[in-house]
Amino acid sequence: MVSLARGANYSHHWTAMAAASFCPSLPQHFKPVSISKFPQTSFSFKVFSSQSSAPKGPDENPTRLGFLGLGIMGSPMAHNLLKAGCDVTVWNRTKSKCDPLIDLGAKYKPSPAEVAASCDITFAMLADPESAMVVACGEDGAASGMGTGKGYVDISTVDGATSKLINEQIKETGALFLEAPVSGSKKPAEDGQLIFLTAGDKSLYDKVALYLDIMGKSRFYLGDVGNGAAMKLVVNMIMGSMMTSFAEGLLLGEKVGLDPNVVVEVISQGAISAPMFSMKGPSMVQSRYPTAFPLKHQQKDMRLALGLAESVSQSTPIAAAANELYKVAKSHGLSDHDFSAVIEALKVKLKD
């Protein structure tokens, strides 16, 4: 067991464990594994929306909820649970991030283990696989407070191997596990419009459906642990590649004398229209990148998606090229800007 404060050291142990299950061969981080680790058959799923079912309201259900990780996504998600009248206990490495939620009625515990011990269901929203492993399984991690009758729902975006390792640790305590990464960024999190991509214990999925509907607009149950992680990585790989192509188009249009604002408008009215382009295009034209989804997280997801592709020998040249641009943007200090700031990497290349 390791200290939560020493997550960086723990990540070396995590990497060694993960390599045995899935962690494809990207430089110094991953090794390929058998295709059987991620089945080639299509995922079976059911889709539900917040309107398609009518579970009991939170005031009829005294379930105690824990929420670990109050960053750009976790904080508004926990906020929505509180607004709905849920009993919520929170934890974050930086305690000050808990204070606004405490002011709204949340309880506080000083460690993930104590949150899990005091709650029936614990949600976790962490930044990366290493953090997700440490918070779940490290010293004073959530697993230390889990037991029969409890459930752990990991909303973090991680690779399949990490999700399976956390699942094993949680299951050893007698508790249930559900992976539930989300599609959506800061604004959908604030508005309760996230899309949950879940896999794992179906009974836990059924139990937390009410709370997923409070935080999101739809939910998919995808079967075995690992499928939720895979779906999220596929979605974010496509999103990251779309953004780099959009950035190229804006810069090309401007270079040949077109008004980039008009380029955005034309795209928004055509067959390739996408909410992402309409929302982010005007700010990108002005070289403003208010953070909804940090660029460093987009690059992390591209890396993990490329690793997933490598593990099943699937060629992804477009995503690989896009990933390089995100890496260039990170090297120019744009990690904490919105991922649309990847356009700056292309500006740098044009100047070089």
Side-chain angles (χ1 to χ4, degrees):
M1 303 293 272
V2 299
S3 167
L4 293 172
R6 295 186 283 115
N9 294 331
Y10 185 80
S11 67
H12 297 298
H13 177 61
W14 166 84
T15 303
M17 290 191 296
S21 310
F22 156 73
C23 273
S25 55
L26 288 178
Q28 301 176 358
H29 294 293
F30 301 99
K31 294 182 180 180
V33 296
S34 167
I35 291 175
S36 64
K37 297 296 181 181
F38 281 88
Q40 298 184 67
T41 53
S42 58
F43 300 140
S44 61
F45 63 86
K46 296 180 181 179
V47 60
F48 304 83
S49 72
S50 301
Q51 294 76 33
S52 66
S53 58
K56 294 180 181 179
D59 54 349
E60 300 174 43
N61 190 336
T63 302
R64 299 164 298 172
L65 306 179
F67 210 105
L68 310 175
L70 300 174
I72 196 169
M73 296 290 287
S75 183
M77 294 171 76
H79 187 188
N80 284 335
L81 291 173
L82 285 167
K83 284 196 305 181
C86 299
D87 181 330
V88 182
T89 300
V90 297
W91 171 88
N92 193 74
R93 281 194 179 95
T94 306
K95 198 268 183 179
S96 60
K97 290 189 176 181
C98 298
D99 293 340
L101 296 173
I102 293 171
D103 291 342
L104 293 174
K107 301 168 187 174
Y108 170 78
K109 294 291 182 182
S111 73
E114 292 174 78
V115 171
S118 66
C119 295
D120 303 303
I121 297 168
T122 301
F123 293 92
M125 176 55 115
L126 289 312
D128 52 47
E130 292 86 352
S131 298
M133 275 296 296
V134 172
V135 169
C137 308
E139 183 178 346
D140 292 326
S144 300
M146 302 300 294
T148 303
K150 294 179 180 289
Y152 191 78
V153 183
D154 194 350
I155 313 171
S156 316
T157 298
V158 301
D159 56 277
T162 299
S163 196
K164 290 174 183 177
L165 286 169
I166 295 174
N167 173 55
E168 291 171 6
Q169 294 292 314
I170 296 299
K171 287 294 190 65
E172 286 181 4
T173 72
L176 301 178
F177 176 79
L178 188 74
E179 62 174 353
V182 296
S183 180
S185 56
K186 181 180 178 182
K187 189 64 164 60
E190 292 172 343
D191 296 342
Q193 293 293 298
L194 296 168
I195 301 168
F196 286 89
L197 308 172
T198 74
D201 286 304
K202 182 62 164 56
S203 61
L204 180 56
Y205 170 78
D206 292 335
K207 187 173 183 179
V208 302
L210 162 63
Y211 309 110
L212 301 185
D213 288 348
I214 290 170
M215 298 183 285
K217 66 179 180 180
S218 60
R219 44 188 163 88
F220 292 77
Y221 180 74
L222 302 169
D224 295 337
V225 171
N227 289 349
M231 181 69 80
K232 177 60 187 293
L233 293 179
V234 168
V235 169
N236 276 20
M237 182 189 77
I238 295 170
M239 180 174 74
S241 300
M242 286 173 62
M243 179 55 75
T244 57
S245 181
F246 181 57
E248 285 183 329
L250 290 180
L251 291 177
L252 175 60
E254 187 172 19
K255 191 125 185 181
V256 299
L258 300 176
D259 183 338
N261 289 295
V262 177
V263 172
V264 172
E265 186 175 354
V266 170
I267 289 173
S268 71
Q269 295 186 31
I272 61 171
S273 174
M276 179 176 73
F277 298 155
S278 299
M279 288 188 296
K280 297 186 182 294
S283 295
M284 292 170 69
V285 169
Q286 299 175 34
S287 299
R288 294 190 300 105
Y289 315 106
T291 306
F293 183 48
L295 186 143
K296 62 185 177 185
H297 292 166
Q298 177 63 68
Q299 194 276 317
K300 177 261 298 182
D301 292 349
M302 296 298 285
R303 172 174 61 83
L304 294 176
L306 290 170
L308 175 60
E310 176 71 15
S311 74
V312 294
S313 301
Q314 173 61 50
S315 177
T316 49
I318 294 172
N323 183 49
E324 293 303 312
L325 285 174
Y326 287 105
K327 288 161 64 177
V328 171
K330 283 177 63 179
S331 74
H332 283 82
L334 297 168
S335 290
D336 293 320
H337 289 68
D338 188 74
F339 79 108
S340 55
V342 71
I343 193 172
E344 295 295 329
L346 289 163
K347 293 178 183 178
V348 170
K349 283 183 169 292
L350 287 172
K351 293 174 184 176
D352 287 348

